[in-house]
Amino acid sequence: MSSNASMHGLWQSRWLFILAATGSAVGLGNIWKFPYITGENGGGAFVLVYLLCISIIGIPVMIAEVSLGRMGRQSPINTMKALAQKAGASPLWSSIGWMGAIAGFLILSFYSVIAGWALSYTLDMASGNFVNISAENSGKIFGDLLANPTQLTIWHTAFMILTLGVVARGVNAGLEKAIKVLMPVLFILLFILFGYALSSSGFGQGFSFMFDFDFSKLTTESIMVALGHAFFTLSLGLGAIMAYGAYMPADTSIAKTIIIVAFLDTAVAIMAGLAIFPIVFANGLEPSAGPGLLFQTLPIAFGQMSGGVIFGTMFFVLVSFAAWSSAISLAEPIVAWFVEKFKMSRTLAAVIIGFSAWLLGLATVFSFNIWSDVKMFDKTVFDLLDFLTTNIMLPLGGLLIAIFVGWKMSETKMMNEVGIDYPILFKLWRFTLRFLAPIAIIAVLVNGLI
Ligand code: PHE
């Protein structure tokens, strides 16, 4: 079993690791992205493939990634370097850490822009702009926000400062305390919204949209999107969860803990979908509206319910918080590496990374307005960054992690590390990493790219 020390600190308990990992996993991916890609990819069949990807590939790879982190106890780049050396494997395996740190940086750049939308909506909600709003006007408010680069940049800047502010201080102090309260409240609010959706005339239609499988709607690209999203939503394949694993106490069972985190993450996504689609159908909106789906639909619901101004404001505060706790984990691997490599302070590392990601984020800001016509492979800069990171880099990272743990790490070592009590389950897990996950990921990537 691994040692009990890391230069960056340790989570105080297993419970705090669960909170931190759930904080990382639950974010815009669940509340904003999952509903809109489900809408774009035709609903039920996509949801089914996504759930399969989570359970068959996501959870086993997540257990592997966290174990690597805890065995290495450093930034993912140095962890992979050290573990490869110990296992007598090629130093090239540290590319898992490298590619991950770059992917995390790229995702952070656009994640911050979208999280900025949530900040902006918090203010809009609080000022009562959505009371009794029509679907048309709700769409217009969203359109106006996207058309305004200055506005977007201000919110993007605010979010980036919030994020790197926490990273600079280390994660123990502020964040742990905040998410302990906020995550449960997020669940409660999602239940309230779900209750509202349940009573709306669109519920039946929304429900069937999410759970009736129509496989004719499934394309190879949707399968690729489902796999990529399984990685994205679990914060997998780029070292974020590896970095968090590095701060995990030595005596907790990784496997059991990760199953809880994956369950919570999936529950939030499904609830967000069940809250949104009924409103879409009840108001004659399009499920395939794209990235604006969350922002155009939920304000309509809040606008109609009593106490909607308060609930709506709280909701967007919580979305912002969920995004915040995820963004922190996107920055952590690369910031931790800067601290180790250049012996600089966390603050300086956070400023350098934060500023560079902010700068790159401007490309995403512009892709919604002045650069909306600039396209490569029929994708805007934002779409391209999203596709490259989520659908290619994360699965590739996951593939390498599976192969490394399955083939390069000794079986006994892993058995001691992961805390899977039943030998047969352990064998199944290892088989998945050695064969099932790599074959599935390669098949999806190859099919999707051709
Ligand atoms: N899991 C986060 C979400 O669903 C995003 C994320 C991806 C965070 C990768 C860290 C690493 O919003």
Side-chain angles (χ1 to χ4, degrees):
M1 196 169 272
S2 35
S3 78
N4 223 344
S6 147
M7 69 175 284
H8 305 285
L10 277 190
W11 306 113
Q12 307 289 330
S13 66
R14 169 173 187 245
W15 171 229
L16 280 174
F17 173 82
I18 293 181
L19 272 181
T22 308
S24 164
V26 173
L28 294 174
N30 309 60
I31 307 168
W32 161 73
K33 198 169 185 191
F34 173 72
Y36 97 70
I37 55 177
T38 298
E40 283 180 341
N41 289 282
F46 175 82
V47 174
L48 183 70
V49 176
Y50 159 77
L51 291 175
L52 286 176
C53 290
I54 294 271
S55 29
I56 300 177
I57 303 173
I59 294 177
V61 174
M62 196 168 182
I63 295 173
E65 186 174 332
V66 173
S67 324
L68 290 177
R70 194 167 74 177
M71 286 187 280
R73 292 267 188 236
Q74 301 176 64
S75 68
I77 294 176
N78 285 333
T79 283
M80 288 314 302
K81 222 191 246 168
L83 292 179
Q85 197 174 27
K86 254 203 226 151
S90 150
L92 282 178
W93 286 103
S94 62
S95 60
I96 294 178
W98 279 109
M99 191 173 64
I102 296 169
F105 175 80
L106 296 177
I107 295 177
L108 179 63
S109 79
F110 67 78
Y111 203 84
S112 167
V113 176
I114 314 289
W117 301 356
L119 289 180
S120 154
Y121 264 65
T122 308
L123 199 71
D124 275 349
M125 271 289 163
S127 33
N129 289 353
F130 290 104
V131 177
N132 287 324
I133 199 160
S134 65
E136 197 181 311
N137 284 338
S138 173
K140 188 171 172 314
I141 291 186
F142 182 70
D144 287 348
L145 173 67
L146 289 206
N148 188 335
T150 318
Q151 191 85 349
L152 292 178
T153 304
I154 292 173
W155 292 114
H156 162 51
T157 312
F159 185 81
M160 198 60 99
I161 293 174
L162 280 175
T163 301
L164 275 303
V166 174
V167 178
R169 267 191 231 137
V171 200
N172 285 83
L175 189 81
E176 281 185 349
K177 274 187 215 130
I179 44 183
K180 223 192 285 191
V181 182
L182 291 161
M183 285 296 157
V185 183
L186 179 65
F187 265 97
I188 295 171
L189 271 179
L190 275 173
F191 266 112
I192 294 179
L193 272 175
F194 172 67
Y196 173 87
L198 200 64
S199 66
S200 97
S201 60
F203 187 76
Q205 224 180 330
F207 190 87
S208 358
F209 180 74
M210 271 186 76
F211 296 113
D212 288 353
F213 326 129
D214 175 356
F215 286 99
S216 67
K217 290 187 184 149
L218 213 58
T219 61
T220 44
E221 169 141 355
S222 354
I223 297 177
M224 194 177 180
V225 173
L227 179 72
H229 188 65
F231 280 94
F232 186 88
T233 190
L234 294 175
S235 301
L236 215 55
L238 62 65
I241 210 72
M242 192 188 295
Y244 276 20
Y247 317 145
M248 189 180 188
D251 53 359
T252 44
S253 160
I254 294 179
K256 285 182 207 145
T257 309
I258 288 310
I259 287 177
I260 297 176
V261 174
F263 173 79
L264 290 174
D265 184 72
T266 309
V268 172
I270 298 287
M271 272 169 60
L274 283 177
I276 288 175
F277 287 114
I279 300 169
V280 168
F281 292 113
N283 289 283
L285 297 166
E286 277 303 315
S288 59
L293 189 66
L294 168 80
F295 296 92
Q296 293 173 20
T297 53
L298 288 192
I300 304 174
F302 287 121
Q304 290 166 0
M305 63 174 82
S306 58
V309 171
I310 296 175
F311 287 140
T313 310
M314 269 169 79
F315 180 78
F316 281 102
V317 169
L318 290 164
V319 173
S320 309
F321 262 97
W324 193 13
S325 56
S326 300
I328 288 164
S329 71
L330 284 165
E332 181 62 25
I334 187 157
V335 169
W337 181 74
F338 264 60
V339 172
E340 288 165 9
K341 173 81 184 172
F342 305 110
K343 313 267 177 289
M344 61 171 69
S345 68
R346 252 183 181 270
T347 309
L348 184 59
V351 169
I352 297 174
I353 304 296
F355 179 73
S356 326
W358 175 83
L359 208 60
L360 181 63
L362 294 180
T364 292
V365 165
F366 297 149
S367 74
F368 292 107
N369 35 69
I370 49 180
W371 290 356
S372 61
D373 290 333
V374 180
K375 288 192 177 166
M376 245 198 303
F377 307 111
D378 208 27
K379 288 181 170 19
T380 62
V381 181
F382 159 68
D383 290 331
L384 209 58
L385 278 174
D386 181 28
F387 185 83
L388 177 74
T389 51
T390 309
N391 298 342
I392 299 179
M393 292 172 90
L394 300 192
L396 210 56
L399 172 69
L400 294 175
I401 289 169
I403 296 177
F404 184 78
V405 173
W407 295 94
K408 298 288 170 184
M409 297 299 285
S410 92
E411 190 168 347
T412 19
K413 203 167 169 160
M414 291 317 300
M415 186 124 65
N416 290 331
E417 190 66 39
V418 292
I420 301 181
D421 293 340
Y422 302 97
I424 177 132
L425 282 184
F426 177 80
K427 288 248 180 294
L428 196 67
W429 173 71
R430 211 167 118 87
F431 176 82
T432 305
L433 291 182
R434 298 182 77 148
F435 302 102
L436 201 63
I439 293 173
I441 296 172
I442 291 174
V444 172
L445 280 182
V446 169
N447 255 312
L449 288 178
I450 297 175

